[in-house]
Amino acid sequence: MTVLIRNGRIVTASDDYTADIVVDGERIHTIGRDVPTAGHAEVYDASGLLVLPGGVDVHTHLDWDFGVARTADTFGTGTMAAAFGGTTTLVDFCNQDGRTPQAALEDWHGRAASACIDVAAHLILTKISEQVLIDMKSLIRHDGVPTFKLFMAYPGVLMVDDATIFKAMRVARDNGGMICMHAENGPVIQVLIEEALAAGHTAPKYHETTRPSLMEGEATSRAIKLAELAEAPLYIVHLSASEALAAVTEARDRGVPVHAETCPHYLFLTKEEYERPGFDSAKFVMTPPLRDRHHQATLWRGLRTNDLQVVSTDHCPFCFNEQPLGMKYSKRQGVDNFNRIPNGAPGLETRLPILYDGGVRQDRISLNRFVELTATTPAKLFGLFPRKGTIAVGSDADIVLFDPGETWTIRAAEHHSRVDYSLFEGRKITGRVKKVFLRGKPVVDGDKWLGHEGGGTYIRRGQAGRL
Ligand code: DUC
Ligand code: ZN
Ligand code: ZN
């Protein structure tokens, strides 16, 4: 049974041409010109549309329970939202949470079974014993989990010390893995938080003042130095600050294999959002926080110079309102204390269109670079390429038909995530996902949902951090 997608403008990280694609089963079988239409089970006309590889988002937190709070999207709702946003593969963070990594992963698999798109897992390691260092090897080699997130922030909860980071980096190096780092100086931030609360500063805006960009820069350069000594590849997650990017750039210029991502909210929003009246600004409480405008120009430059290589969402959705999901899912937990606001924000459904509109259409990045940042490089860095991240013969037929000319307005009321707000509410943008194929099967057709829970598959990944 073959599917033909005709006359589309195929854009990959390196190419841009008009052609037809024949999908046989789950993979791309042929790319050519003037392919006869007869004999295919389905024929789609992509004239006037961009034909893009399905997006790869390597930073999500679906159905993440960390005791006091839980993210609002299940794997079912989160991956449906992702598909409507043109993402067909995501790598989600499974939290060790006091258990063995294997027990945590098993639990994650149970929840991830409802995914509608393809999914893979990173492990967040918070308790790293000698046994866990041994477990990392089998996670990489047998479970297809080659990436591990460590925290330099949240002392007493998630933070691990420098010695532990160094040991884990060496295990990653020797086994084809990579450490993904949350780089902020947690202990110093803790002092600032305690001082702010003691002074009666409880509003959401103090989330930003207590997490200075300088302390993101400090931790980023410390993480890089540790990776350099360990001779291990390193990936800095959710980079928001010019001080942090300066450290990454300096190291990359010396040939150190440091990689970094940023997220759409750091590219398009600033800390002015924290001046919104009342508790509304809690919608923008994510970590790191939104920054001063001057950081944005640096981030765009980093995207152009390849010092930033990935744009991911850090989709970590908590509802603004208490109902209907309940207080555990809501930002309202922190109505009297900014330090109790669950940290995180949604983004899965808007990553591609917002970066297309504000990046490609504003001439900040090229169309090829857009594909590279949202699909190809994340697939390469995280052990998914060439199955994912490009349009090529033999690759999975994860294909997005994208209308570069359609103008629409982002509204949470119309999106598919369970979260009740959007960071970009009311923003008018041009460029829209029209159809999405997951391994050859249509899952999105305009506003129609054709996918189903359990339609995704677990992807066992190969080596990470080896570009
Ligand atoms: N880091 C993340 O990656 N996501 C949510 C909160 C955080 O600190
Ligand atoms: Zn983080
Ligand atoms: Zn995150």
Side-chain angles (χ1 to χ4, degrees):
M1 294 287 273
T2 55
V3 170
L4 174 63
I5 301 170
R6 299 178 64 226
N7 286 327
R9 179 177 164 197
I10 299 171
V11 183
T12 67
S14 54
D15 297 310
D16 187 339
Y17 56 99
T18 298
D20 306 333
I21 297 174
V22 179
V23 176
D24 188 3
E26 299 196 331
R27 300 199 167 192
I28 295 174
H29 179 273
T30 312
I31 301 174
R33 286 246 163 87
D34 303 321
V35 173
T37 53
H40 301 287
E42 287 161 50
V43 177
Y44 297 90
D45 184 11
S47 303
L49 301 177
L50 304 179
V51 180
L52 309 173
V56 177
D57 188 347
V58 294
H59 192 151
T60 69
H61 303 268
L62 299 178
D63 204 358
W64 180 22
D65 191 331
F66 53 98
V68 289
R70 185 171 198 135
T71 53
D73 274 316
T74 64
F75 277 83
T77 62
T79 55
M80 174 168 55
F84 273 102
T87 288
T88 50
T89 304
L90 56 83
V91 189
D92 186 75
F93 283 100
C94 160
N95 195 359
Q96 181 189 0
D97 200 15
R99 301 164 290 183
T100 65
Q102 284 297 347
L105 190 60
E106 221 168 279
D107 176 56
W108 181 92
H109 275 295
R111 288 176 290 113
S114 64
C116 311
I117 64 167
D118 288 353
V119 291
H122 316 272
L123 233 300
I124 294 177
L125 295 177
T126 48
K127 285 209 166 27
I128 308 185
S129 60
E130 289 304 314
Q131 183 56 47
V132 169
L133 292 172
I134 294 167
D135 293 344
M136 283 173 68
K137 291 185 202 168
S138 86
L139 286 161
I140 298 170
R141 293 182 181 184
H142 305 300
D143 295 290
V145 178
T147 42
F148 304 89
K149 183 176 178 185
L150 305 182
F151 284 82
M152 300 170 94
Y154 306 113
V157 188
L158 298 166
M159 192 178 95
V160 290
D161 63 24
D162 291 352
T164 307
I165 291 169
F166 180 61
K167 285 186 197 173
M169 283 173 166
R170 288 203 298 208
V171 177
R173 172 199 68 193
D174 290 341
N175 294 279
M178 178 166 69
I179 300 301
C180 301
M181 192 63 78
H182 179 123
E184 285 185 303
N185 186 319
V188 170
I189 286 168
Q190 193 57 32
V191 171
L192 299 178
I193 290 171
E194 282 161 19
E195 285 175 359
L197 292 173
H201 296 154
T202 57
K205 68 178 178 183
Y206 295 105
H207 174 72
E208 186 271 327
T209 58
T210 54
R211 306 193 88 92
S213 60
L214 202 56
M215 289 300 97
E216 187 185 336
E218 184 279 329
T220 303
S221 49
R222 184 158 36 101
I224 291 170
K225 295 285 186 284
L226 295 172
E228 206 173 338
L229 189 66
E231 298 182 4
L234 175 67
Y235 184 84
I236 306 292
V237 297
H238 48 49
L239 189 148
S240 71
S242 49
E243 294 91 333
L245 184 54
V248 170
T249 304
E250 186 276 334
R252 286 177 62 82
D253 287 349
R254 288 187 296 108
V256 180
V258 183
H259 311 284
E261 66 175 21
T262 191
C263 311
H265 39 268
Y266 303 121
L267 294 167
F268 296 110
L269 301 171
T270 69
K271 70 177 199 183
E272 282 164 32
E273 303 295 347
Y274 299 120
E275 297 307 324
R276 288 180 178 223
F279 194 59
D280 206 47
S281 52
K283 292 173 181 170
F284 302 86
V285 170
M286 74 283 286
T287 302
L290 299 175
R291 303 292 188 193
D292 242 340
R293 190 166 297 280
H294 80 265
H295 293 271
Q296 281 183 346
T298 321
L299 296 181
W300 283 109
R301 195 176 65 225
L303 291 175
R304 281 194 298 274
T305 58
N306 205 34
D307 291 309
L308 287 171
Q309 296 169 286
V310 173
V311 176
S312 64
T313 56
D314 195 1
H315 182 83
C316 189
F318 298 101
C319 293
F320 183 64
N321 294 306
E322 185 187 339
Q323 295 304 331
L325 293 183
M327 194 56 121
K328 184 161 182 179
Y329 298 83
S330 172
K331 296 271 188 189
R332 295 235 171 243
Q333 288 186 61
V335 80
D336 297 321
N337 178 344
F338 71 88
N339 199 33
R340 295 218 184 100
I341 301 171
N343 284 196
L348 261 175
E349 208 154 342
T350 45
R351 181 179 67 130
L352 262 57
I354 206 135
L355 190 65
Y356 177 83
D357 179 71
V360 179
R361 280 178 50 83
Q362 300 299 317
D363 282 334
R364 288 163 158 151
I365 52 171
S366 71
L367 194 48
N368 297 113
R369 183 69 178 149
F370 166 74
V371 172
E372 196 168 34
L373 291 166
T374 55
T376 316
T377 300
K380 286 182 176 173
L381 270 176
F382 286 86
L384 294 160
F385 187 84
R387 181 169 175 191
K388 305 293 187 185
T390 194
I391 292 181
V393 172
S395 293
D396 278 0
D398 296 342
I399 296 170
V400 174
L401 304 190
F402 189 88
D403 184 345
E406 182 172 334
T407 298
W408 59 292
T409 302
I410 296 173
R411 303 241 180 258
E414 289 162 22
H415 71 198
H416 301 83
S417 163
R418 284 213 296 186
V419 76
D420 59 357
Y421 75 95
S422 168
L423 292 174
F424 302 105
E425 183 69 29
R427 189 176 285 231
K428 200 169 167 191
I429 62 171
T430 298
R432 189 164 206 180
V433 171
K434 302 304 289 182
K435 280 189 173 50
V436 179
F437 299 84
L438 174 71
R439 282 178 281 105
K441 292 211 171 52
V443 289
V444 169
D445 183 5
D447 55 11
K448 278 206 291 294
W449 174 236
L450 306 174
H452 62 94
E453 294 204 358
T457 193
Y458 175 69
I459 307 287
R460 210 173 282 277
R461 292 182 290 136
Q463 294 199 339
R466 275 79 180 160
L467 268 188

